[in-house]
């Protein structure tokens, strides 16, 4: 990724309401880490400025039904953003099909992508291949978690145990 004056979108997401309720939790940590990364890169060159911070709090990355994600994608299409930064790939998506659609749209709009955790060059064939392998793992993790929760609910129900939600009359 060559250094230029990027118009940066910071995308932040957590999955659960409990995570959103902690004022010193993951949302704040993600934003701080991303802002510090931009600040550090600007010390070495004219890296860019943050054009928008997009936060989807308490929303899964299983699909694209996230209001701030949609706002960010519109900003990319309008040319208001030409770099998306996340702390890790799974913050952006845990679905192969959705990610590929975003990836293709970002390429068409000349928008780059950077993840702090998965720090590799996606402008090369090897780097892009690694990116797609990581999205496979993110989707796998989401599906196995769902399977594990469903199995636990069924087992608890078979034993007559409470599984949460409103208590029936």
């Amino acid at each position: 990724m060559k250094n230029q004056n990027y118009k940066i979108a910071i995308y932040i997401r957590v999955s659960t309401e409990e995570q959103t309720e902690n004022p010193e939790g993951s949302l704040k940590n993600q934003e701080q880490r991303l802002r510090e990364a931009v600040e550090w890169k600007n010390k070495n060159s004219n890296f860019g400025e943050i054009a928008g911070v997009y936060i989807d709090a308490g929303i899964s990355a299983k699909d694209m039904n996230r209001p701030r994600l949609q706002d960010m994608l519109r900003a990319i299409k309008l040319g208001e953003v030409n770099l998306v930064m996340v702390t890790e790939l799974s913050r952006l998506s845990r679905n192969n099909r959705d990610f590929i659609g975003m990836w293709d749209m970002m390429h068409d709009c000349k928008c780059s992508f950077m993840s702090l955790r998965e720090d590799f060059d996606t402008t090369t064939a090897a780097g892009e291949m690694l990116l797609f392998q990581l999205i496979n793992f993110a989707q796998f993790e989401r599906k196995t978690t769902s399977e594990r929760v469903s199995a636990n609910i069924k087992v608890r129900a078979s034993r007559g145990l409470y599984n949460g939600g409103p208590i029936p009359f």
Side-chain angles (χ1 to χ4, degrees):
M1 182 175 293
K2 65 182 180 188
N3 287 339
Q4 62 182 30
N5 194 17
Y6 287 110
K7 297 177 283 184
I8 304 163
I10 288 177
Y11 183 74
I12 300 165
R13 184 193 63 77
V14 294
S15 299
T16 67
E17 288 299 321
E18 291 81 23
Q19 290 171 307
T20 67
E21 293 169 1
N22 182 349
E24 294 299 322
S26 183
L27 291 174
K28 187 172 185 175
N29 294 343
Q30 287 179 57
E31 184 169 356
Q32 181 178 343
R33 290 176 55 211
L34 289 161
R35 287 184 180 280
E36 287 172 356
V38 171
E39 186 178 312
W40 182 81
K41 288 181 175 293
N42 274 322
K43 287 182 180 178
N44 298 320
S45 68
N46 190 18
F47 183 71
E49 66 181 44
I50 297 171
V53 177
Y54 302 87
I55 302 172
D56 281 316
I59 303 175
S60 171
K62 67 180 181 179
D63 58 36
M64 304 277 285
N65 296 329
R66 294 175 268 156
R68 302 299 73 85
L69 174 67
Q70 293 302 320
D71 291 345
M72 184 183 74
L73 296 176
R74 276 190 290 282
I76 292 168
K77 290 176 185 174
L78 293 171
E80 297 168 359
V81 167
N82 63 3
L83 173 64
V84 172
M85 286 182 71
V86 295
T87 55
E88 62 185 83
L89 182 59
S90 67
R91 300 300 86 208
L92 185 61
S93 183
R94 290 183 180 260
N95 180 295
N96 290 348
R97 183 173 293 138
D98 290 344
F99 181 75
I100 290 168
M102 280 189 276
W103 182 255
D104 288 344
M105 183 275 294
M106 288 177 12
H107 271 272
D108 292 346
C109 295
K110 308 284 188 269
C111 181
S112 298
F113 173 75
M114 179 184 290
S115 168
L116 299 183
R117 177 175 286 171
E118 299 92 9
D119 185 23
F120 47 80
D121 184 357
T122 58
T123 63
T124 67
E128 189 169 342
M129 186 261 317
L130 286 172
L131 177 72
F132 284 100
Q133 290 305 311
L134 287 172
I135 198 66
N136 280 329
F137 285 116
Q139 179 173 289
F140 171 74
E141 179 183 22
R142 178 183 58 83
K143 287 185 174 188
T144 56
T145 299
S146 177
E147 289 171 357
R148 196 169 43 251
V149 168
S150 293
N152 284 333
I153 288 172
K154 287 177 185 174
V155 169
R156 288 180 57 83
S158 73
R159 295 193 326 248
L161 298 173
Y162 177 66
N163 271 315
I167 299 173
F169 291 109

